[in-house]
């Protein structure tokens, strides 16, 4: 590099880098801790001795998990849910955002629709009416109960709508003059130009669906329907140790195994950790450079 | 809408009653009115193993002579036609049914189908953790969509759920069914729970649920101490609070382990709570008790509390209690035990399952012993749970509540190990369902002797010491005694931690319970009232805040009197009056 750094530059850089390093550590240490616990001897983990490297290294927790039929079923449910949600949510969000991104001149009743979207965002349904709706539409106990109720993300619509609005209208006008209809304008101009926001929203959808646990708890008919996070939540949240029945004590022995719980947590993190680097390349600007001269 | 529902409900109730009475009239049981000996009849079904030879009990084999309608209905007779019912169950994460089997399809269930003509259908299942089951039920009550039969645990909010169900008129009045069809064995066992057992699941004199009786001794706080450390510092096992203090100080000097594992749940009958301190002063926070003047009062506002709080504040000041105990839950508190940084803690008698295994795995020298402390008056006191642990309710309009009652009768026979075929499947060595950890009985009830643990401890020790022969013992005693004998024989005591936990559970844990005879104070009232639903939450907040502030020294002990006044004025007084009204009925 031909640029000479002055003393103040060096100082600034040092401060910035140390802050960034701190932030990185704050997020990394808990991850490493969970990872280490999952490879450690459970008794050492319970004693709180494990820091960021495993003690008494073993693979046993992982071999136990892959023999566990329940967690594998749960992974299956979660994967199915994420794939379905990604496709359905994405299509719905794009279809809703495009018309809403037009001006009121073009789309007369835009205001009404906009209020409907914002209104449902502000006043969500409470649990029981929601449960009724899902029950009466016969979705209980099916994968659709997890996918459909949250399929239209209002926040995602607003994000995408705003992005569409930032795309210069000259582009659309010129396409219209060349004879492109609305479908073609959407699919061949807007969608390709909006890859960054699509990637962002796709990530929101994937993470949101992967991490949701509460709906799995409510809409499942039996424990085989639990998605992964619901299954994990049942294990990880503080188990009740005020046991009153001797017959229940042995199950306490199973859930108090911290290494096993940590290993299950690791397994839930993997997909998100894997997906993220591939999403990274879309988070770049400059897509529209040179398309319009103003 | 409401009116319509009521009309429908009453019509269905009337029809249900007509049907049941018709069924009673037609039931041709052989007029067998044996009460205490019904078990004999049923235990005759030998070798009904996997192939299920289908020996119906002898009562049913009798020729159906026309019984007079006034004859007592038989609690164990087969239903005349197949009765199907839906139910919801909770499953633990480690449920492992044998291949191809499930709650709806297993040998036990088949037996019921063939011999009693009942068939359960699983409407839904939830996890058994985190109150998922209770959440589900609350939701289904709101949606008016409960299954035919439910078994609901009293803890944490079972009784208010029951109240809701009664109010919403969603469950059957079981008074008649229980009186007519409840087996003597079940009635006797429920009787052991005292008059409150049935009262707590009744309303306006009608019985709405069949209760399960808990053993009350599990609530007794046991003090676990490391014997190997005691020997090194030359102290005997602690007997009083003062001894605990001496022991902690000695452990601090010698091992740097002078802190009592403690947590924010200070009187929750939980591992690492302070129940033992409160018990020593004969005070019972969070529990309704009979006070000196015979009325019912709330334990947290009784004057006996002062001594205990004062003692805890002193311990906190002296550093015998973890400075940050307010931030800890029991899972955090037990870390010190596994780490070798604690030599005394309060646990349950079953602590050999949790949290001790990790401590022993980390340090094979750790030799934990259990005892119950004597109180400041020289007598060991402890709080108790209500005698009822869970209860079974039947949905309004279900046509055959007596079928459910009969199943419960059998469940009670199974619990008391009187069904040979059931014992074979579930207990004996190599039993099919020994490690399945799944619910097997279509509907279960467990009316146990409230003092089951000490009774069983004596039976087990008699076998271990050779006083009784192994073959004369009941199946469960056999299992426990065998495990203790195997453990004593084992060359490596820690090779099989499951065996370690099982053997020491009685050999050490239950032994600790019987060292000092305990006076247990059982709740005079369990459940919840209308006023409690409204006001109890803020009263509990005030209580918790005050106690924690007194213990941590932010407030002096004199503030306790002010707290009592405030508690009364904020609605505590009215709640107390309400409770006395209910108990006095």
């Amino acid at each position: 590099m031909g640029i000479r750094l002055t003393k103040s530059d060096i100082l600034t850089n040092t401060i910035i880098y140390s802050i960034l390093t701190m932030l990185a550590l704050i997020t990394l240490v808990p991850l490493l801790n969970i990872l280490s616990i999952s490879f450690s001897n459970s008794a050492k983990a319970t004693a709180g001795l494990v820091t960021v490297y495993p003690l008494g290294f073993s693979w046993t927790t992982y071999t136990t998990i892959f023999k566990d039929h329940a967690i594998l079923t749960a992974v299956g449910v979660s994967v199915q849910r994420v794939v379905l949600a990604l496709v359905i949510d994405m299509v719905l969000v794009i279809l809703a955002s495009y018309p809403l991104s037009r001006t009121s001149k073009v789309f007369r009743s835009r205001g009404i629709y906009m209020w409907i979207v914002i209104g449902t965002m502000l006043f969500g349904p409470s649990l029981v009416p929601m449960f009724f709706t899902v029950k009466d539409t016969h979705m209980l106990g099916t994968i659709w109960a997890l996918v459909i109720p949250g399929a239209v993300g209002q926040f995602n619509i607003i994000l995408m709508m705003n992005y569409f609005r930032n795309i210069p209208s000259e582009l659309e006008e010129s396409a219209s003059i060349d004879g492109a209809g609305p479908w073609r304008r959407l699919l061949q101009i807007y969608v390709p130009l909006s890859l960054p926001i699509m990637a962002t929203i796709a990530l929101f959808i994937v993470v949101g669906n992967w991490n949701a646990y509460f709906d799995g708890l409510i809409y499942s008919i039996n424990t085989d329907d639990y998605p992964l996070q619901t299954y994990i939540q049942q294990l990880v949240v503080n188990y009740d140790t005020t046991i009153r029945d001797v017959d229940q004590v042995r199950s306490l022995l199973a859930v108090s195994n911290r290494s096993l719980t940590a290993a299950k947590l690791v397994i839930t993190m993997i997909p998100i950790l894997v997906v993220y680097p591939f999403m990274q390349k879309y988070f770049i600007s400059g897509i529209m450079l040179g398309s319009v001269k103003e | 809408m409401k009116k319509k529902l009521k009309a429908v409900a009453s019509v269905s109730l009337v029809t249900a009653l007509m049907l049941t009475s018709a069924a009673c009239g037609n039931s041709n049981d052989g007029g067998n009115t044996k009460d205490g000996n019904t078990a004999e009849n049923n235990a005759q079904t030998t070798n009904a193993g996997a192939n299920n030879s289908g020996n119906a009990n002898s009562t049913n084999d009798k020729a159906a002579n026309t019984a007079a309608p006034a004859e007592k209905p038989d609690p164990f007779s087969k239903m005349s036609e197949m009765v199907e019912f839906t139910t919801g169950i909770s499953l633990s994460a480690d449920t492992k049914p044998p291949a191809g089997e499930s709650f709806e399809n297993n040998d036990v269930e088949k037996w019921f189908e063939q011999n009693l003509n009942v068939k359960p259908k699983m409407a839904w299942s939830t996890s058994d953790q985190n109150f998922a089951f209770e959440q589900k039920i609350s939701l289904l009550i709101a949606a008016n969509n409960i299954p035919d039969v439910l078994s609901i645990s009293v803890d944490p909010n079972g009784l208010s759920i029951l109240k809701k169900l009664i109010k919403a008129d969603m469950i059957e009045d079981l008074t008649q069914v229980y009186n007519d069809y409840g087996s003597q064995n079940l009635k006797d066992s429920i009787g052991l729970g005292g008059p409150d057992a049935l009262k707590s699941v009744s309303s306006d004199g009608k019985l709405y649920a069949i209760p399960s009786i808990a053993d009350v001794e599990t609530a007794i706080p046991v003090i676990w101490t490391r014997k190997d450390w005691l020997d090194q510092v030359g102290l005997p096992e602690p007997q009083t609070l003062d001894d605990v203090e001496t022991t902690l100080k000695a452990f601090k000097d010698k091992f740097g382990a002078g802190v009592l594992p403690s947590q924010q749940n200070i009187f929750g009958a939980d591992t690492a709570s302070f129940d033992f301190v409160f018990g020593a002063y004969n005070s019972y926070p969070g529990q309704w008790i009979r006070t000196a003047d015979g009325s019912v009062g709330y334990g947290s506002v009784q004057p006996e509390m002062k001594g205990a709080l004062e003692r805890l504040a002193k311990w906190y000041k002296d550093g015998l209690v973890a400075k940050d105990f307010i931030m800890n839950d029991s899972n955090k508190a037990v870390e010190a035990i596994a780490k070798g940084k604690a030599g005394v803690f309060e646990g349950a008698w079953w602590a050999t399952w949790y949290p001790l295994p990790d401590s022993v795995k980390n340090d094979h020298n750790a030799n934990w012993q259990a005892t119950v402390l004597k109180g400041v008056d020289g007598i060991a006191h402890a709080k108790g749970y209500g005698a009822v642990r869970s209860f079974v309710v039947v949905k309004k309009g279900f046509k055959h509540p007596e079928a459910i009652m009969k199943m419960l009768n059998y469940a009670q026979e199974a619990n008391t190990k009187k069904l040979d075929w059931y014992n074979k499947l579930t207990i004996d060595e190599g039993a099919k369902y020994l490690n399945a950890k799944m619910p097997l009985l279509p509907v279960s009830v467990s009316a146990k002797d409230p003092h089951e643990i000490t009774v069983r401890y004596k039976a087990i020790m008699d076998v271990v010491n050779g006083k009784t022969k192994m073959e004369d013992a009941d199946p469960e005693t056999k299992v426990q005694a065998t495990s203790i004998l195997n453990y004593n024989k084992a060359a490596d005591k820690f090779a099989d931690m499951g065996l370690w936990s099982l053997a020491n559970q009685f050999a050490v844990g239950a032994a600790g319970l019987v060292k000092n005879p305990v006076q247990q104070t059982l709740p005079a009232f369990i459940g919840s009232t209308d006023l409690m639903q409204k006001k109890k939450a803020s009263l509990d907040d005030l209580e918790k805040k005050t106690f924690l502030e007194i213990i941590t020294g932010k407030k002096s002990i004199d503030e306790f009197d002010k707290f009592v006044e405030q508690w009364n004025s904020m609605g505590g007084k009215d709640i107390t009056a309400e409770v006395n009204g209910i108990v006095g009925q």
Side-chain angles (χ1 to χ4, degrees), chain B residues 125-407:
Chain B
S125 64
T126 67
S127 128
D128 65 344
Q129 287 293 314
N130 247 325
F131 314 120
F133 189 77
E134 191 169 285
Q135 257 176 332
K136 185 95 181 175
I137 293 174
S138 304
L139 201 64
L140 293 173
I141 292 174
N144 195 1
N145 190 22
I146 58 168
D148 296 332
V149 179
L150 271 178
S151 170
I152 302 170
S153 134
V154 164
D155 206 40
N157 303 311
L159 290 169
S160 40
I161 289 181
L162 182 67
K163 248 189 139 62
K164 253 190 234 163
L165 286 166
I166 296 171
K167 244 191 194 145
D169 200 27
M170 285 164 91
I171 50 175
E172 284 286 353
D173 168 6
L174 299 174
T175 320
Q176 193 67 32
V177 174
Y178 178 72
N179 288 341
D180 290 352
Y181 287 91
S183 70
Q184 202 51 44
N185 183 8
L186 183 64
K187 284 179 179 166
D188 290 348
S189 310
I190 288 177
L192 288 173
D196 286 351
L198 289 173
K199 219 179 192 177
S200 59
V201 290
S202 301
S203 162
D204 299 333
K206 290 180 194 147
L207 180 71
Y208 281 98
I210 309 298
S212 276
I213 305 304
D215 65 72
V216 294
E217 292 166 323
T218 296
I220 297 175
V222 175
I223 291 297
W224 290 82
T225 329
R226 276 190 71 160
K227 184 87 179 62
D228 52 317
W229 285 4
L230 284 173
D231 294 345
Q232 287 186 53
V233 296
L235 284 170
E237 194 171 36
Q239 293 290 324
T240 63
L241 289 181
D242 294 336
D243 293 350
V244 168
E245 226 170 289
T246 319
T247 311
L248 282 171
K249 283 175 179 154
F251 284 178
K252 183 182 176 184
D253 297 339
K254 179 109 183 161
F255 307 104
V259 180
L260 190 73
S262 359
Q263 58 148 324
Q264 53 188 322
N265 188 355
I266 55 174
F267 52 80
D270 194 358
T271 301
S273 313
F274 295 134
D275 288 296
F276 73 105
V277 182
F278 291 111
Y281 286 88
N282 206 0
S283 61
Y284 307 98
Q287 186 174 304
W288 292 92
I289 49 169
R290 290 257 170 223
T291 52
D293 64 0
S295 69
V296 175
Y298 190 54
S300 301
V301 294
Q302 304 305 321
E304 288 90 0
M305 289 287 301
K306 271 176 109 164
L309 287 170
E310 206 164 5
R311 169 75 67 138
L312 285 169
K314 181 172 166 289
W315 281 6
Y316 185 84
K317 210 171 92 211
D318 297 349
L320 302 180
V321 170
K323 281 281 171 237
D324 59 352
F325 80 96
I326 296 180
M327 324 285 258
N328 291 349
D329 57 17
S330 83
N331 308 340
K332 185 79 191 155
V334 301
E335 278 188 7
I337 298 166
K339 217 189 258 186
K341 286 280 165 220
V344 187
F345 74 94
E346 176 199 304
W349 72 276
W350 45 255
T352 56
W353 292 99
Y354 169 92
L356 289 180
D358 287 326
S359 159
V360 178
K361 274 187 233 162
N362 286 334
D363 183 356
H364 284 350
N365 297 324
N367 172 11
W368 291 94
Q369 294 294 330
T371 186
V372 182
L373 292 189
K374 289 182 181 141
V376 285
D377 55 0
I379 302 165
H381 298 282
K383 69 192 300 187
Y385 297 130
V388 178
R389 175 187 302 134
S390 67
F391 51 86
V392 173
V393 293
V394 179
K395 186 180 179 174
K396 193 102 199 177
F398 182 69
K399 287 209 173 59
H400 295 286
E402 75 281 7
I404 309 297
M405 197 63 235
K406 288 177 185 179
M407 265 185 285

Side-chain angles (χ1 to χ4, degrees), chain A residues 74-86:
Chain A
V75 170
V77 173
S78 271
V79 169
Q80 204 184 347
R81 170 181 185 165
V82 165
V83 171
L84 283 172
L86 190 59

Side-chain angles (χ1 to χ4, degrees), chain A residues 43 46-47 132 135 217-218 220-223 226 233-234 237-239 241-242 244-246 249-250 253 258, chain B residues 123-127 129-130 135-136 139 143 145 268 270 329-331 335 339 353 358 362 385 502 505:
Chain A
T46 311
F132 265 113
K135 175 176 160 268
L217 200 60
I218 307 171
S220 307
I221 285 187
N222 67 55
T223 46
Y226 281 176
Q233 189 250 0
Q234 296 302 318
V237 181
N238 283 330
Y239 37 90
T241 49
T242 54
R244 310 191 165 193
D245 187 345
V246 187
V249 176
R250 294 177 200 195
L253 191 68
R258 289 198 197 181
Chain B
W124 42 263
S125 64
T126 67
S127 128
Q129 287 293 314
N130 247 325
Q135 257 176 332
K136 185 95 181 175
L139 201 64
N145 190 22
D270 194 358
D329 57 17
S330 83
N331 308 340
E335 278 188 7
K339 217 189 258 186
W353 292 99
D358 287 326
N362 286 334
Y385 297 130
L502 188 64
Q505 176 184 348

Side-chain angles (χ1 to χ4, degrees), chain A residues 238-264:
Chain A
N238 283 330
Y239 37 90
D240 182 21
T241 49
T242 54
I243 298 259
R244 310 191 165 193
D245 187 345
V246 187
D247 306 333
Q248 291 175 352
V249 176
R250 294 177 200 195
S251 69
L252 191 60
L253 191 68
V255 290
S256 65
N257 181 337
R258 289 198 197 181
S259 306
L260 194 61
T261 308
K264 288 174 175 171

